[in-house]
Amino acid sequence: FTGSLAPLSDSMKEGIDLYLAENNNVIHGHPVQVIYEDDEGDPQVGLRKYRSLVDNQKVDLLIGTTNSAVLGALMGEIVKDQIPLIISNAASVGVSWDNKNDYAWRTSFSNFQNGSAGGKYWAENLGKTAIYIGPDFPAGHEVDAAFRYAFEGAGGKVVKSLFPKLGTNDFATYITEIASTKPDFVFAFLPGTDGVRFHQQYQQFNLQGQIPIAGALEHGDSLITDPAGSSAEGTLANVPWFPALDNPVNKQFMESFQQKYNKIPNIFTVNGYDSMKLIHQLIEKADSKKADDLINVLKSGVTMDSPRGQINIDPATHNPTQNFYIVKNVMKDGRIVQEVLTTIGNVTMPEKDPTK
C-alpha cells in the first residue's frame, strides 16, 4: 500500500470490500474478516507481515500480492504452512512454471499473458521494429521476454529493451533514446505512477503520435489513463477487461461499484473482486474452508463468471484462461475511454516456458 504500486493495491482492496458488501460480509454461512497489511513492496517486510498473519492472526486464506518479488518470497512459506494464496495481481511466471505448488492460484493474469497477448497484432498492424520499456524488477523482465517471444515469432524485431528503475521520476534519458532509435513503435509496461509520468513526459517531448505506444494492459486502464489524460490518447493496449465490456456480470459490477465509490473502477479492482468471488465459489463447492478441500476443487478445474466474462482457472498452470482485447485510448467527453479494435480469444498460460 506504499510506493509506486500503491494505487494497484488500493484498487484491489476496493474490489474485495465491494464483493463482501454485496454479500453482507458472509460467505457460505461464515462471517468474513479481512485483515489488510502493507508489505511496502519489500520481500523481507512481506515475510514479516505474512508470519504475523499466519502465526498470530491464524488466517484461513490469503489474497495478494501486488509485487512479484514479494510473491516469490512467500512461495516456500505457504507450502510449509499449507495456506492457500489467491494471487490477485503479482503476475510472476514462476508461479505457473518453476515454482508452481498446490497452494498458489492466480485470478488475475500472468506476465506472459500480459506481454504476449498482442504480439501478433502489433507485428501485423504497427510495424516490425519495437523498443520495449519496463521497470527493472522481475515483472519488467518477464513481460519483456513474453513480448519478444510473441512479437518476434510473428516477424517483428525488438531492437532495444530499456529498464528504468521502478519509481523513476524522469524518463528523459529513455525517451531521448527512443527518439534517436526511431522504432516503428514502443511497447510499454510501466505500472502505476511510472506509467502516468512516462506518458506525460512522452507528450512533452513531442513524440506522442510520432512513434506510437502500444502497451501491456496497464496502459489501457483508467488507473493510468485518468491521471495521464490527453497524454495517453492514441495509445494501444492489450487488456483483459475495460469498463464498457458488454456482459451482464460487468454491467452489474459497474453499477454496484459506482454506487459505492462514485467513480470508475479499473482492472485491479476487478482483480480484487474476482479473488473474493473465487474464494466464495470454492468454499461453497467444497462445503469447507479447509485448505486441502479448497485445493481439490481448484484441481478439478473452476469456471467463473467475472466482469471480464467467463474465465477458467487452469489446473495445469494455476492461471486463468481469458479473452484479451486490443483497445485504443480515445478521448470522449473529456475522459479517456477504450475503443475495441479486435478480440484475442482464450489467452492461455503455457505449461512450460516457451522462451527457453
Side-chain angles (χ1 to χ4, degrees):
F1 291 101
T2 52
S4 62
L5 299 182
L8 285 63
S9 302
D10 294 336
S11 297
M12 282 185 277
K13 180 181 185 299
E14 289 175 344
I16 292 167
D17 291 346
L18 175 65
Y19 187 85
L20 288 174
E22 290 177 342
N23 290 274
N24 300 313
N25 258 61
V26 173
I27 285 181
H28 197 52
H30 299 281
V32 180
Q33 179 188 8
V34 182
I35 303 164
Y36 292 102
E37 292 283 5
D38 180 11
D39 60 34
E40 301 173 24
D42 183 324
Q44 292 308 309
V45 174
L47 282 169
R48 289 201 303 272
K49 297 294 178 73
Y50 168 87
R51 289 261 58 98
S52 175
L53 289 167
V54 172
D55 296 339
N56 302 328
Q57 305 285 353
K58 308 294 183 184
V59 298
D60 297 292
L61 293 153
L62 295 163
I63 295 176
T65 61
T66 306
N67 183 304
S68 290
V70 177
L71 176 65
L74 299 184
M75 286 297 95
E77 300 300 304
I78 65 171
V79 174
K80 182 175 68 177
D81 298 323
Q82 299 183 352
I83 299 288
L85 169 62
I86 304 302
I87 304 168
S88 56
N89 183 69
S92 167
V93 296
V95 176
S96 299
W97 294 334
D98 296 342
N99 292 325
K100 189 177 77 172
N101 63 67
D102 283 349
Y103 296 94
W105 296 77
R106 180 179 283 127
T107 54
S108 51
F109 40 79
S110 70
N111 287 325
F112 183 86
Q113 289 173 304
N114 199 9
S116 68
K120 185 171 184 287
Y121 183 90
W122 311 133
E124 292 177 351
N125 294 276
L126 276 187
K128 299 300 185 184
T129 61
I131 282 182
Y132 170 85
I133 183 167
D136 191 12
F137 79 132
H141 290 273
E142 290 177 358
V143 172
D144 175 50
F147 171 64
R148 282 176 174 271
Y149 169 77
F151 180 61
E152 294 188 343
K157 175 66 178 175
V158 180
V159 294
K160 285 184 181 178
S161 291
L162 306 176
F163 296 104
K165 184 179 178 182
L166 190 66
T168 292
N169 288 313
D170 186 355
F171 287 94
T173 301
Y174 304 100
I175 295 172
T176 300
E177 189 162 0
I178 291 166
S180 64
T181 304
K182 298 180 180 176
D184 292 328
F185 69 100
V186 176
F187 186 83
F189 165 64
L190 293 164
T193 53
D194 289 21
V196 177
R197 285 191 288 265
F198 177 74
H199 279 282
Q200 291 171 337
Q201 292 169 30
Y202 202 80
Q203 183 184 54
Q204 290 163 8
F205 274 74
N206 296 316
L207 283 188
Q208 185 181 16
Q210 302 301 313
I211 300 175
I213 297 175
L217 62 91
E218 290 79 0
H219 295 270
D221 186 77
S222 63
L223 202 60
I224 284 179
T225 62
D226 278 357
S230 65
S231 67
E233 189 173 5
T235 293
L236 304 178
N238 47 230
V239 304
W241 175 88
F242 56 98
L245 190 56
D246 187 10
N247 68 65
V249 176
N250 190 49
K251 288 179 180 177
Q252 176 59 45
F253 167 76
M254 290 294 296
E255 182 179 326
S256 181
F257 183 88
Q258 288 174 293
Q259 185 175 357
K260 181 173 175 61
Y261 295 107
N262 193 32
K263 61 181 180 179
I264 301 293
N266 56 61
I267 182 57
F268 305 100
T269 319
V270 176
N271 289 351
Y273 187 87
D274 279 350
S275 296
M276 189 55 75
K277 186 170 189 174
L278 177 63
I279 287 172
H280 192 161
Q281 189 165 321
L282 295 176
I283 290 173
E284 282 196 334
K285 192 166 184 179
D287 192 24
S288 168
K289 59 186 179 71
K290 293 181 180 177
D292 288 346
D293 295 335
L294 302 179
I295 287 164
N296 284 338
V297 173
L298 284 161
K299 286 182 174 180
S300 70
V302 173
T303 298
M304 187 169 71
D305 289 323
S306 158
R308 289 173 275 176
Q310 189 177 88
I311 64 173
N312 302 301
I313 309 298
D314 180 4
T317 65
H318 301 191
N319 214 75
T321 298
Q322 58 194 313
N323 290 346
F324 272 68
Y325 306 89
I326 302 296
V327 298
K328 181 177 182 179
N329 291 337
V330 297
M331 188 69 73
K332 184 178 180 181
D333 299 327
R335 185 175 181 273
I336 294 289
V337 298
Q338 285 67 49
E339 174 187 291
V340 180
L341 302 180
T342 192
T343 299
I344 304 168
N346 295 319
V347 176
T348 62
M349 181 68 176
E351 291 187 40
K352 295 181 180 178
D353 185 354
T355 69
K356 290 183 177 177

